[in-house]
Amino acid sequence: MALEVVRRGAQVVDTTAAPVPARAPAPAGAAAAEAELEYKRLLRDAAEGVPVGGRPALWEAGRPTVVDGLAAVKSGGFKAYERAPLPFRDVQERMADWGEVHAHLPAEQHAQLLNTQSARCMDCGTPYCLNRTTGCPLGNLIPEWNALVWQGRWREALDRLLETNNFPEFTGRVCPAPCEGSCVLGINQNPVTIKTMEVSIIDKAWEEGWMVPRPPAVRTGKRVSIIGGGPAGLAAADQLNKAGHTVTLYERADRIGGLMMYGVPNMKTDKEGIVQRRVDLMAAEGVQFVTSAHIGREVDVRDIRASSDALILAAGATKPRDLPIEGRSLKGVHFAMEFLAANTKSLLDSGLEDGKAISAKGKTVVVIGGGDTGTDCIGTSVRHGATNVINLELMPQPPATRAASNPWPYYPRVFKVDYGHAEAAAKYGADPRVYEVLTKRFIDDGQGNLKGLEIVSVEWQPATAGGPPKFVEVPGSNRIIEADMVLLAMGFLGPEATLAEALGVETDPRSNFKAEYGQFATSMDGVFAAGDCRRGQSLVVWAIAEGRGAAAATDKFLAGVEPSTDARQEVVGGIIPWKEYSQKVMGQQLVAV
C-alpha cells in the first residue's frame, strides 16, 4: 500500500496510518474539549490536503520571534520561529515629528531580532525571492546575506548585498518588497523579513564606517552624461563611475535624488541622513552632480550630448494622471507630488517656516487614489494638523489573503495597513479608506475655492468578453462630502514631452522613451534610456535595476569609442548648480569637442 503524505506547513501527517497518531495528554474540562476539537480539525485538514485551513497549526502556536543570546538555530528555524520585522515607532510619537517612522532598537535587542529572523531563511534549493520576474528585479543574493547575518559576518553580508544593489538604504526603506511576496516560506506561512535584513545590513555598514569613498583606480578618458538624478540615474552613474568613466549627472531640482528626495516624505526616508549622505559619497568618488539644470527647457540637450561620448536618459515619469472633471481648476485641488515635493523642500529649507509648503492644517483633506503616494499624502496631512483625512479608492477593498487569481509567487494583492493609515485611524478614529467610489465633480464655494466633492459608489463586474472587469455606478448612491483640499494621487502617465522633442528620440505609444529592455538603446546612436521614463511608472528597485542595465549597455557601447579626454586627467566630483557649472566647465568641454 502506498503511503499517502500530506504536508501542512512543516508538519507531515500520514493519512493512511492507524490508529490516530499519539499526542500529549489534553488538559481537563472545557479546555480539553476544545483541544480535542482542534486536533480533529487538524487531522481532517491534513487528510483533505488543506495547507492552512484558516487557522495556525498547533505546532505554530507560541513560536518566538526573538531568541535571547544570539542562540537562534538555523536548521529548521522556519518552523521554530515566527516572523517579526523591524517595528514602527509609537503612532502618537511619530505623528508629532518628521523623523523616520521605523523604530531604532537598542543594539542588543536589534541583534537578537536579526539573529532569530535570519534563521527563518530556508536555504531554498530554488529561491524565488531572487527571481527577477516575480521576486527581486535586482536578483539580490538574499539567502546568502541572510546566512551571513545569522553567522554574524556582517562585513561579508555587506559585500554580497552591494554586489547587486547600489542603494539598499533606499530599497530597504521604501520598496514594497516583491522578494517577500515570492519567498518560498510564504506559500503557507509568513515570509522571511528580507527587507528588515537588507536595511539593517546597510545601516550597520554606515554606522561601522565601512561606507567610505572608493574612486576607481584607473580612468578611461570617456565622458558620460546622465539626465535625471533619481534612483535610475544614480545607479547608472555609480556603475559607470566605478568602471572608470567620467560621469556628469544633471538634475532639474536643487537637490539630487529625484523622487527619493522630493517625492518620498522624510518620515519614510531621511533626506539629509540617508539620501544626501549617499549623494555626497558618490561625489567623493568622482561623480559630478549638476543641480537646477532643467534639460530641454533652460538647458539645450544638444549641448549636453555634444559634450559627451554617451548619454543616458533617466528623467523619470513625471507627468501625473489628472482628473478632468467639473471644478478641477478650483483652488485647493492639487497633484499629490506637488503637495509632497513642496512640503519636503520647505522642511529642508526652513523647517516649514518659509510658508512655501501647501499646508493641510485645519482642513478636511480628501486623497483620491491609493498606493504609496496616497499613503504619503495621508501621513503628511496628519502631521500638518488636518481636521480630517479621507482616502477615496476606485477599486474594491483587497482580500485579507491571496485570491485565486493572485497565486504565489506573484506579489500579494492583499489588504494592508501602512503607516499613514494607522496614523489617520489613531487621530480620527477610523481607517481613512473608502473603496469603490468614483468622484463626479468638485464643488465651488462661490469664490473659486473647493468646498466639497460629489461622489458615487460603483460596483465592479466581469467583462462579458473575458476582458478586464468594468465598473458601473450604483443608482441612488450619489452623495456630497466636505473637502477643503483634494490631493490627486492617481499615478503617472510618462515623462514630460520636452526632452524627447528637444533631442528627437522616438517614443512608444505611452509617451515613454522607446528602448528595448536589456538593450536600453534609443533611436539615437549613443543615447540610452532607463527607469520610469523607459518602462513607465514602477518601483524604486526596478529603477535601480534599469540604471544598472543601462550602465552595462553604455559601457559596452563605449568600448568602441575613442577617449575624448586624457585618461590621466584627474577627475573631481562634486555638487554644483547649473549656472555656475555652465560658466566654469561646460564651455571648456564644448570647445574641446
Side-chain angles (χ1 to χ4, degrees):
M1 178 178 180
L3 177 66
E4 180 187 1
V5 173
V6 178
R7 293 189 177 273
R8 189 182 191 280
Q11 182 186 47
V12 180
V13 179
D14 174 6
T15 63
T16 65
V20 173
R23 53 196 170 89
E34 178 61 29
E36 182 71 24
L37 179 60
E38 174 69 6
Y39 188 64
K40 289 180 179 179
R41 288 173 181 163
L42 291 173
L43 291 179
R44 180 196 65 194
D45 285 357
E48 295 176 356
V50 179
V52 176
R55 58 188 180 278
L58 291 180
W59 59 268
E60 293 178 333
R63 292 190 298 181
T65 58
V66 178
V67 176
D68 292 338
L70 306 181
V73 178
K74 188 76 163 67
S75 178
F78 65 94
K79 295 185 292 184
Y81 313 121
E82 185 51 270
R83 171 186 169 94
L86 284 173
F88 285 156
R89 295 160 57 203
D90 176 75
V91 65
Q92 297 296 337
E93 174 192 325
R94 69 181 193 247
M95 284 193 300
D97 61 43
W98 297 94
E100 291 192 334
V101 296
H102 281 98
H104 294 279
L105 300 177
E108 183 179 0
Q109 183 181 349
H110 193 188
Q112 291 174 350
L113 174 68
L114 298 179
N115 176 253
T116 307
Q117 292 301 308
S118 60
R120 297 184 72 241
C121 188
M122 299 168 64
D123 295 326
C124 308
T126 306
Y128 275 75
C129 57
L130 51 78
N131 182 299
R132 295 176 186 268
T133 302
T134 59
C136 178
L138 288 166
N140 279 338
L141 305 172
I142 295 164
E144 296 186 30
W145 38 260
N146 275 343
L148 291 167
V149 167
W150 177 74
Q151 296 168 8
R153 297 159 62 185
W154 287 91
R155 185 59 185 265
E156 293 170 80
L158 173 68
D159 293 339
R160 299 305 274 160
L161 177 58
L162 294 179
E163 187 172 324
T164 57
N165 189 350
N166 300 73
F167 314 120
E169 65 268 47
F170 298 172
T171 53
R173 284 172 167 80
V174 304
C175 181
C179 54
E180 293 188 6
S182 60
C183 173
V184 173
L185 185 57
I187 294 175
N188 60 2
Q189 294 186 56
N190 291 320
V192 174
T193 55
I194 299 170
K195 192 172 172 180
T196 287
M197 299 300 154
E198 179 180 37
V199 74
S200 296
I201 293 169
I202 188 63
D203 283 356
K204 184 176 180 66
W206 285 101
E207 292 168 4
E208 295 291 336
W210 299 336
M211 299 299 295
V212 296
R214 295 180 178 86
V218 178
R219 289 289 179 178
T220 65
K222 301 173 184 181
R223 296 194 299 230
V224 181
S225 292
I226 299 173
I227 300 175
L234 287 171
D238 195 35
Q239 291 294 101
L240 289 166
N241 183 62
K242 284 180 167 62
H245 304 304
T246 302
V247 179
T248 304
L249 184 148
Y250 300 88
E251 166 59 43
R252 68 179 182 178
D254 62 340
R255 292 180 174 88
I256 304 296
L259 289 183
M260 285 302 304
M261 177 59 75
Y262 283 136
V264 176
N266 200 76
M267 55 271 197
K268 285 178 69 174
T269 304
D270 186 271
K271 305 310 165 190
E272 295 179 348
I274 302 299
V275 182
Q276 191 60 50
R277 179 179 64 181
R278 173 60 76 164
V279 173
D280 290 342
L281 178 67
M282 292 176 62
E285 292 178 331
V287 177
Q288 178 70 71
F289 294 104
V290 183
T291 60
S292 303
H294 199 159
I295 311 297
R297 290 192 178 179
E298 291 88 355
V299 183
D300 193 332
V301 69
R302 292 170 296 184
D303 290 343
I304 303 298
R305 179 67 187 97
S307 66
S308 313
D309 297 309
L311 174 65
I312 295 179
L313 307 176
T318 55
K319 185 167 61 178
R321 180 176 283 107
D322 206 345
L323 186 59
I325 59 176
E326 180 185 341
R328 171 62 183 88
S329 61
L330 292 174
K331 295 178 182 178
V333 181
H334 306 275
F335 286 119
M337 206 49 61
E338 175 190 2
F339 171 72
L340 294 173
N343 182 79
T344 299
K345 179 167 172 51
S346 178
L347 178 67
L348 296 176
D349 287 349
S350 67
L352 297 179
E353 295 296 328
D354 59 8
K356 294 182 179 180
I358 301 172
S359 178
K361 184 176 182 179
K363 298 179 181 179
T364 296
V365 179
V366 174
V367 180
I368 300 179
D372 290 338
T373 302
T375 302
D376 295 339
C377 288
I378 295 169
T380 301
S381 298
V382 166
R383 283 163 177 76
H384 280 180
T387 302
N388 192 22
V389 179
I390 302 169
N391 186 196
L392 304 181
E393 298 199 30
L394 182 63
M395 301 300 294
Q397 179 174 322
T401 58
R402 288 182 184 268
S405 60
N406 178 220
W408 178 89
Y410 295 99
Y411 187 76
R413 298 189 298 271
V414 297
F415 182 79
K416 299 176 182 177
V417 178
D418 208 338
Y419 79 101
H421 307 135
E423 291 167 359
K427 186 167 184 176
Y428 308 118
D431 191 300
R433 290 170 286 186
V434 181
Y435 292 94
E436 295 183 284
V437 171
L438 175 69
T439 303
K440 301 289 288 184
R441 65 188 176 100
F442 301 119
I443 300 174
D444 194 339
D445 70 350
Q447 299 182 358
N449 301 307
L450 175 75
K451 74 169 185 179
L453 296 78
E454 180 184 355
I455 61 175
V456 63
S457 298
V458 301
E459 290 181 349
W460 286 88
Q461 300 176 349
T464 55
K470 298 181 179 180
F471 67 83
V472 295
E473 296 182 13
V474 177
S477 65
N478 293 61
R479 54 201 184 273
I480 304 296
I481 62 173
E482 177 186 351
D484 304 303
M485 177 185 289
V486 165
L487 302 174
L488 304 177
M490 303 182 298
F492 299 88
L493 298 176
E496 296 174 18
T498 52
L499 185 57
E501 292 171 354
L503 193 57
V505 297
E506 291 184 20
T507 57
D508 65 17
R510 297 188 300 161
S511 79
N512 298 320
F513 301 140
K514 190 174 182 180
E516 183 181 350
Y517 178 69
Q519 303 298 319
F520 300 99
T522 69
S523 57
M524 295 188 66
D525 186 51
V527 179
F528 302 83
D532 289 2
C533 69
R534 190 205 69 83
R535 67 178 286 116
Q537 178 187 353
S538 192
L539 308 176
V540 63
V541 68
W542 266 113
I544 296 172
E546 291 239 337
R548 292 171 64 92
T554 303
D555 185 53
K556 183 178 180 180
F557 167 80
L558 290 172
V561 175
E562 290 296 321
S564 56
T565 61
D566 187 345
R568 296 169 297 179
Q569 181 178 335
E570 182 183 7
V571 174
V572 179
I575 305 171
I576 182 173
W578 164 254
K579 186 176 182 179
E580 181 180 349
Y581 178 80
S582 62
Q583 295 172 351
K584 291 185 177 180
V585 181
M586 196 68 184
Q588 298 176 10
Q589 290 185 357
L590 288 173
V591 170
V593 172

